[in-house]
Amino acid sequence: MRNKPLSFSIDIKLNKRRNLLNFDYSIISTVLLLGFFGLAMIYSASGSYALVLKQASYFFLGIFLMVTAAMSNFRKMEPIYLNAVWIGFLFLILVLVLPNSGTANRWINLGFIGFQPSELMRFLLPISAAAYLTRNPQINLSDWIIVLFVTFLAFILVFLQPDFGTSAIVLLSGIMPIILSGLPWRFIIYSFLGGIGTLPFLWLSLMDYQKERIYTFISPEADALGSGWNIAQSKIAIGSGQFLGKGYMEGSQSQLDFIPESHTDFIFAVIVEEFGFLGALGLFILYAYLIHRLLYVARRSNSKFAKLVSATLSIILAAYITLNISMVVGIFPVVGMPLPFISQGGTALVVNMITIGIILSLRRST
Amino acid sequence: MNKFTRERFKTGEEYSRALFFLSPFIFLFSVSLFQVLNLTLFQGNKYQTIAESNRIYQKPINPVRGFIYDRKGTLLVENIVQRDLYVTPAYIEDYPTTLLQLSNLLNVPYELLEENFARSKKKINKFDSFPLVKALNEEQIAKAKVNLDLIPGIEVKATLKRYALHKETLAHILGYVGDISSDEIKRDKLLVELQNTQIGKTGIEKEYDLILRGKPGIQTQERDVKGKLVRVLDTQGAEDGQDIFLTIDQKLQDHLFKLFENRRGALVALEPKTGLVRALISSPSFNPNILNSIVDVDEVESLFSNKESPIFNRAISGQYPPASTLKPFVGLAAIENKVISWDKKIKDDGKFYVEGDPRPYRGWKENGHGRVDMRKAIAESSDVYFYTIAFDLTLSGIRPMLDSFGFGRKTGLTDFEANGLLPDKKWKLGYKGDFWFKGDTINLGIGQGYILATPIQLAMAYSGLANRGVIYQPQLIQPEDEASYKPKKLAEIKLSDTNSWEKMERALIDVISARNGTAHKVFDTNSAVIAGKTGTAQIKSILPGKEYDAIRENPALRDHALFVGYGPVKDPKLVVAVIIENGESGSEVAAPIVKSAINFYTRVSNAE
């Protein structure tokens, strides 16, 4: 019984020292396990030490930032959290304004390091939104509208890059705090129906290659050597892994480059080809356990802010995991989404680890 | 007081809502797990097979095709290196540009390249290469090699091409090779593993293809997604084809081929005592190398559409009326059936009448040959004599003898022979829809009318005369040891009086040696003694009121000239059948060739 008046003051003093390192170590070890496994799989998929080394340096930066965030006191971070979203906007606008090579403006190059502002946004937005919504004991309708407006702004900026997958995630990351914070169900249902109404317009605004991905998903066999090729090869890799897999570095589909994007978006296919169904099951259990532990923070926390942030970030993480895997196994359209903690890609890894760190810090509110 | 602490107890349904919005992801997550289970365990074997076929490439190793030699080991067909420009469509990004570059580089018309490219591209996997420009010359090879790196997707490959050294001379015997067609694969599944090699299409190349082609080997390679070789997993070497030695005497063949210059016709020369074929000519001929390696499609097309049919093998597939060359066999039939005796004379006044038909059957000599016996009838080729005995013999008296000498039947030399035609009543009713008339028998008596024979059949029948009734299986493959070679008997004709053989031979010798013989023109004392018979085959029957002189104005309607003979008579070394299409006179154009063949063969070929 924590709220007994008599023991209250003593409690705080004792916690101050102990709490600093009082993490949920099961979460940390799961993340570390996934990260190291990811490095090994990137090596198998790409055969490049340089790539693994680069990813490893992001991974260690991620560990440092995760632990730092975990040790922070989220209660003191309030002004930072409330305004963090502006940093996200700054970069999102920069990335659109700055000249860029290729068809999509997704990267900001700081000379020594490059990163994707949209990845940043998808965790800054929910934190700021949660902070804004919980700044007063009572949430007004206008609060929700403002958050919704800001969310749409962020969504559109990412969509313009264009990056369909991440823009959907950004949308979800802004809307989730609104819904979780107690928006009446009737509003949720109305906007859901309204959202369906905008789908035709959304379809019209898709780029050709995005439309093609959806066609491909609907009938991958129609164009087995064109865009259906990726999914077909990915399924061959997964299926040929059978129960125990072909062994580390032994997957012919991945080693002979039949799997596209094998070290990034399609790394799950490499895992199943080389470690079989058993390997896939292990990974599913790890991910399920991680999400379960993260949600536990939301359940046990008695801070509304903590609940909103940890629940939203957990859902976003779960969305990444699920959408990536279901895309690779061929039950969902191809959207460019990395597999958290495993796919090669620095920004996503660091952001995911900071996310974990923040959730860990929220845990100490319990 | 901190705002966060103020609302510490005011949390609502965040957690349950989170679970609610997480549920679609939980659902997708579960379906994904089930899909992994489905792919790996339920469909694992199928995908394992597909993954293997992705990875493994079975590269055929082509065997080297066997050479062909003549009986004395003279090389007739070999394989020569040809360099072709190959392209791999998968590595060509923008093919019009590449083709334009190649067109300028190799000095080949762009349209030609485009046509070849479009035609071949459809047939093959995009990672497989195919020849775009064949048989590069030295300059093109040099230019192509220098620029290989600048133009992706092209390479110069050396392949072995079939090369017939004596070109036209032996074209019909040897035949030619070509790419395997899809029809051929349907008929013979074994050919699938021979893709990219050539197989025999006609002649010896086709008939002995299994021996010549050898067995392909296979290299099992692991290849990456771009078709690049990663490593070799296994190599099974190819088994090269075996060489073949023909019975043909290249020198004789060459000598005789020259005599056919600018003439349409055919020749078969074989050893009567063994059936070994020493020369086989069909004229006009063609250069088999044009077909062995098709470089110019137009050239091939003109070869096939040529009205003189150079590709057609007249020696075994050409069917001609045997004309007077049939007379010895009709004569023997008459003797055997006792229709006539050797000494019995018949008056030949140039015309033969059948009761109830006012129209005469005319002999080739206006006023006839006077009173002729068999010997004179053969030597002078009396038509009336043979009209008479044929009339008396009737069809059923003539046919068995002709049949036993092999008329109307394939000799079995190759698979591509024609049957010839030995007509009977049933055949006429079936094909002509008419009954057999006496007139048909009378025409058959002088080898005209419906009967047709191939040059090889004529040579075989005459070898029966030379061998006193024994006919040996003709063949083109040289036995390993000729001295001990025991040929297979195809027929053994028994005559009731064996002296008849000598008597008929004497008559056939007279054809050349006797002053009144139809081929006495070619007689000379230096030559070996030859027994033979001239023939003049009418291709258009002379209608009443129309003379031959009118007909011969059209060269294509002129008579075919024939001569079949053997020699030297004492020990027959060679039997030769010659037909010259529209050559008119057997004694003038055909007999000299037969004489030359026998003399050449006995003097030159056997002298070594």
Side-chain angles (χ1 to χ4, degrees):
Chain A
M1 299 308 277
R2 285 160 200 247
N3 36 8
K4 270 187 188 170
L6 268 177
S7 57
F8 190 65
S9 59
I10 301 163
D11 239 15
I12 288 173
K13 274 198 173 168
L14 281 174
N15 282 348
K16 267 212 165 161
R17 286 228 159 137
R18 227 170 15 142
N19 269 0
L20 215 55
L21 288 171
N22 181 16
F23 307 136
D24 181 339
Y25 283 100
S26 63
I27 292 179
I28 291 192
S29 43
T30 307
V31 166
L32 292 183
L33 198 60
L34 288 170
F36 280 116
F37 181 60
L39 292 179
M41 289 320 295
I42 290 165
Y43 181 66
S44 175
S46 67
S48 156
Y49 274 119
L51 213 58
V52 174
L53 225 58
K54 198 173 146 197
Q55 181 75 357
S57 51
Y58 277 113
F59 182 49
F60 290 113
L61 173 70
I63 293 173
F64 171 74
L65 292 177
M66 175 174 74
V67 173
T68 309
M71 291 196 298
S72 70
N73 185 346
F74 76 91
R75 290 165 213 275
K76 290 181 179 162
M77 301 283 281
E78 188 213 12
I80 298 174
Y81 285 158
L82 195 60
N83 294 305
V85 73
W86 306 121
I87 301 168
F89 273 114
L90 178 74
F91 283 121
L92 276 185
I93 291 164
L94 265 181
V95 85
L96 282 180
V97 171
L98 288 176
N100 222 318
S101 59
T103 50
N105 290 338
R106 292 181 184 170
W107 289 81
I108 278 197
N109 205 333
L110 299 180
F112 60 99
I113 201 166
F115 74 101
Q116 287 171 282
S118 54
E119 287 281 349
L120 208 59
M121 198 56 171
R122 60 133 169 127
F123 101 100
L124 293 179
L125 183 62
I127 291 171
S128 291
Y132 184 76
L133 290 173
T134 55
R135 73 191 193 286
N136 298 318
Q138 200 67 39
I139 302 172
N140 298 319
L141 193 60
S142 61
D143 296 338
W144 282 322
I145 292 169
I146 286 168
V147 172
L148 192 66
F149 175 76
V150 171
T151 300
F152 267 112
L153 208 62
F155 165 74
I156 285 162
L157 285 175
V158 178
F159 192 81
L160 284 177
Q161 290 186 356
D163 186 344
F164 181 65
T166 317
S167 67
I169 290 287
V170 166
L171 191 64
L172 189 70
S173 70
I175 286 175
M176 237 40 243
I178 301 174
I179 292 173
L180 298 183
S181 63
L183 185 73
W185 277 104
R186 62 174 191 281
F187 285 119
I188 298 173
I189 292 163
Y190 291 157
S191 25
F192 180 71
L193 293 177
I196 288 177
T198 62
L199 276 183
F201 300 102
L202 193 68
W203 174 254
L204 289 177
S205 66
L206 287 180
M207 303 286 280
D208 280 344
Y209 80 93
Q210 292 167 328
K211 285 180 185 172
E212 198 171 275
R213 282 174 175 180
I214 293 171
Y215 290 139
T216 302
F217 168 69
I218 292 164
S219 68
E221 281 76 25
D223 184 16
L225 282 173
S227 40
W229 161 266
N230 293 0
I231 279 302
Q233 292 301 333
S234 165
K235 282 163 101 173
I236 293 167
I238 292 170
S240 65
Q242 296 183 311
F243 188 66
L244 286 171
K246 299 174 185 171
Y248 181 61
M249 305 277 296
E250 296 291 331
S252 65
Q253 287 286 106
S254 45
Q255 301 304 323
L256 302 174
D257 300 334
F258 282 96
I259 305 176
E261 311 287 333
S262 61
H263 58 279
T264 56
D265 291 358
F266 279 86
I267 201 161
F268 181 72
V270 182
I271 296 171
V272 188
E273 188 186 22
E274 300 192 345
F275 296 102
F277 174 73
L278 222 54
L281 190 66
L283 194 66
F284 271 80
I285 290 171
L286 274 185
Y287 276 131
Y289 177 71
L290 179 65
I291 298 297
H292 163 76
R293 291 302 304 176
L294 292 177
L295 277 175
Y296 185 76
V297 175
R299 186 152 79 102
R300 290 295 305 272
S301 174
N302 46 19
S303 147
K304 187 163 182 132
F305 171 79
K307 275 178 182 289
L308 288 186
V309 169
S310 60
T312 302
L313 293 181
S314 307
I315 288 173
I316 299 297
L317 199 61
Y320 264 99
I321 295 164
T322 310
L323 295 181
N324 173 278
I325 292 178
S326 51
M327 158 189 97
V328 174
V329 300
I331 60 169
F332 200 77
V334 175
V335 281
M337 282 190 179
L339 186 63
F341 307 113
I342 293 185
S343 281
Q344 191 263 329
T347 319
L349 180 66
V350 171
V351 166
N352 282 330
M353 293 183 80
I354 296 174
T355 302
I356 298 293
I358 289 172
I359 296 175
L360 285 175
S361 77
L362 297 175
R363 185 181 166 273
R364 273 186 282 122
S365 69
T366 54
Chain B
M1 189 104 191
N2 195 307
K3 279 163 197 153
F4 291 110
T5 46
R6 255 191 275 125
E7 28 121 276
R8 125 186 275 179
F9 302 111
K10 288 175 193 156
T11 56
E13 48 187 9
E14 292 87 359
Y15 182 68
S16 54
R17 282 193 179 200
L19 284 186
F20 179 80
F21 285 96
L22 197 65
S23 58
F25 297 117
I26 294 172
F27 173 73
L28 258 186
F29 193 70
S30 319
V31 175
S32 295
L33 182 61
F34 182 76
Q35 169 77 340
V36 173
L37 184 76
N38 170 35
L39 293 176
T40 53
L41 298 187
F42 304 150
Q43 300 188 61
N45 287 330
K46 178 185 114 187
Y47 283 114
Q48 172 65 34
T49 312
I50 303 175
E52 279 300 289
S53 67
N54 264 348
R55 172 176 87 98
I56 302 292
Y57 180 83
Q58 305 269 10
K59 189 192 174 199
I61 304 173
N62 295 334
V64 177
R65 198 171 172 84
F67 288 2
I68 303 177
Y69 299 92
D70 88 337
R71 62 183 289 225
K72 288 182 177 147
T74 310
L75 186 60
L76 304 179
V77 183
E78 63 170 333
N79 304 313
I80 56 165
V81 175
Q82 176 181 304
R83 283 174 219 281
D84 303 323
L85 185 84
Y86 274 73
V87 294
T88 311
Y91 303 137
I92 294 179
E93 279 168 17
D94 172 23
Y95 84 87
T97 311
T98 303
L99 295 186
L100 198 65
Q101 276 176 304
L102 289 174
S103 166
N104 293 333
L105 186 70
L106 304 175
N107 204 10
V108 181
Y110 177 81
E111 292 73 26
L112 191 73
L113 294 181
E114 199 181 28
E115 195 187 316
N116 284 350
F117 188 80
R119 191 179 39 216
S120 305
K121 205 180 109 178
K122 274 185 253 156
K123 290 191 225 158
I124 59 154
N125 181 311
K126 63 175 179 170
F127 290 112
D128 287 342
S129 60
F130 62 84
L132 185 67
V133 185
K134 282 185 178 175
L136 298 173
N137 61 34
E138 293 297 325
E139 192 190 340
Q140 287 172 323
I141 293 169
K143 279 188 177 170
K145 283 194 170 166
V146 171
N147 290 283
L148 277 184
D149 297 338
L150 301 176
I151 310 172
I154 67 157
E155 57 190 320
V156 173
K157 272 192 197 171
T159 46
L160 287 176
K161 291 291 169 186
R162 209 60 174 157
Y163 185 73
L165 278 84
H166 302 277
K167 302 190 174 95
E168 284 86 358
T169 314
L170 286 134
H172 296 95
I173 304 168
L174 299 172
Y176 54 90
V177 298
D179 295 336
I180 301 167
S181 72
S182 48
D183 278 354
E184 283 166 325
I185 289 181
K186 263 183 224 156
R187 264 179 271 134
D188 182 2
K189 296 272 185 274
L190 268 178
L191 291 176
V192 176
E193 54 186 86
L194 278 165
Q195 292 282 19
N196 296 327
T197 61
Q198 294 184 305
I199 60 164
K201 296 286 180 177
T202 61
I204 290 289
E205 295 277 20
K206 180 178 173 124
E207 202 153 351
Y208 293 91
D209 195 55
L210 277 176
I211 294 169
L212 288 167
R213 75 160 83 128
K215 282 203 177 95
I218 276 192
Q219 188 169 72
T220 309
Q221 302 179 336
E222 185 174 82
R223 291 193 171 193
D224 71 9
V225 67
K226 285 182 178 157
K228 217 178 88 189
L229 175 70
V230 177
R231 60 189 160 142
V232 173
L233 300 173
D234 182 43
T235 305
Q236 265 184 314
E239 211 175 281
D240 288 343
Q242 291 168 31
D243 296 344
I244 281 183
F245 288 80
L246 299 183
T247 56
I248 297 295
D249 187 303
Q250 162 57 22
K251 280 188 181 154
L252 177 68
Q253 175 88 14
D254 196 47
H255 170 75
L256 296 174
F257 185 77
K258 284 177 189 143
L259 301 180
F260 269 84
E261 207 181 13
N262 297 326
R263 280 171 171 161
R264 269 178 293 117
L267 173 146
V268 174
L270 52 85
E271 281 193 353
K273 287 174 189 164
T274 53
L276 303 179
V277 177
R278 293 310 188 196
L280 193 128
I281 289 167
S282 176
S283 178
S285 188
F286 62 99
N287 182 352
N289 300 324
I290 292 174
L291 298 165
N292 283 335
S293 164
I294 296 175
V295 178
D296 183 351
V297 180
D298 293 341
E299 202 177 9
V300 173
E301 266 169 23
S302 74
L303 194 55
F304 279 95
S305 60
N306 188 327
K307 282 200 181 114
E308 302 219 311
S309 332
I311 294 193
F312 180 63
N313 189 348
R314 291 167 161 81
I316 57 167
S317 306
Q319 306 183 99
Y320 304 93
S324 298
T325 61
L326 193 71
K327 284 174 179 168
F329 310 101
V330 177
L332 286 177
I335 297 287
E336 278 303 286
N337 285 291
K338 314 238 182 308
V339 165
I340 201 156
S341 68
W342 284 101
D343 304 322
K344 172 99 191 275
K345 289 188 172 153
I346 291 174
K347 188 169 174 271
D348 174 2
D349 57 3
K351 293 185 183 69
F352 177 74
Y353 287 94
V354 182
E355 244 182 66
D357 185 355
R359 209 179 51 176
Y361 290 82
R362 286 194 279 190
W364 65 272
K365 201 171 172 187
E366 184 104 40
N367 296 317
H369 303 268
R371 289 175 60 78
V372 290
D373 62 1
M374 179 74 81
R375 184 167 169 179
K376 197 178 172 194
I378 292 280
E380 297 185 9
S381 203
S382 160
D383 288 341
V384 172
Y385 181 91
F386 283 92
Y387 289 147
T388 311
I389 61 171
F391 180 79
D392 294 344
L393 267 170
T394 70
L395 179 65
S396 57
I398 301 172
R399 257 194 119 260
M401 185 60 78
L402 297 184
D403 179 66
S404 59
F405 275 95
F407 286 96
R409 249 182 296 132
K410 285 179 181 161
T411 66
L413 180 70
T414 79
D415 295 339
F416 317 106
E417 283 181 73
N419 280 319
L421 176 62
L422 180 56
D424 59 15
K425 292 174 181 172
K426 226 179 176 175
W427 172 85
K428 193 178 173 194
L429 199 59
Y431 283 84
K432 298 281 169 185
D434 207 345
F435 295 109
W436 186 269
F437 300 118
K438 282 181 179 159
D440 295 327
T441 311
I442 293 164
N443 272 330
L444 180 61
I446 61 158
Q448 290 286 160
Y450 300 117
I451 188 166
L452 293 174
T454 60
I456 178 80
Q457 280 173 342
L458 286 173
M460 294 294 292
Y462 273 75
S463 76
L465 295 175
N467 291 339
R468 309 292 185 253
V470 182
I471 298 176
Y472 295 105
Q473 171 65 51
Q475 74 161 356
L476 276 168
I477 300 299
Q478 176 73 4
E480 264 180 55
D481 180 15
E482 216 175 281
S484 63
Y485 174 62
K486 293 247 180 332
K488 189 182 135 202
K489 273 182 196 171
L490 213 55
E492 191 162 7
I493 301 139
K494 301 273 188 214
L495 297 181
S496 51
D497 177 8
T498 48
N499 288 328
S500 295
W501 295 117
E502 273 72 35
K503 286 176 180 165
M504 185 55 76
E505 186 168 87
R506 215 172 304 136
L508 291 172
I509 294 167
D510 279 356
V511 171
I512 293 168
S513 304
R515 223 164 266 284
N516 62 345
T518 50
H520 186 63
K521 274 176 221 165
V522 300
F523 175 81
D524 77 80
T525 46
N526 291 331
S527 167
V529 181
I530 294 167
K533 183 73 195 80
T534 52
T536 306
Q538 291 171 16
I539 32 182
K540 186 144 176 93
S541 49
I542 300 168
L543 299 168
K546 204 168 183 194
E547 292 302 315
Y548 177 70
D549 285 345
I551 291 171
R552 77 179 292 275
E553 308 234 314
N554 180 354
L557 296 178
R558 287 177 194 172
D559 297 340
H560 293 331
L562 289 95
F563 194 91
V564 192
Y566 59 88
V569 168
K570 271 186 193 165
D571 177 22
K573 294 278 188 216
L574 205 63
V575 53
V576 188
V578 170
I579 180 157
I580 303 291
E581 287 180 16
N582 314 118
E584 296 194 301
S585 166
S587 60
E588 267 182 60
V589 297
I593 296 177
V594 173
K595 182 179 126 185
S596 179
I598 293 170
N599 287 335
F600 187 91
Y601 188 66
T602 45
R603 275 188 226 144
V604 182
S605 303
N606 268 9
E608 289 161 31

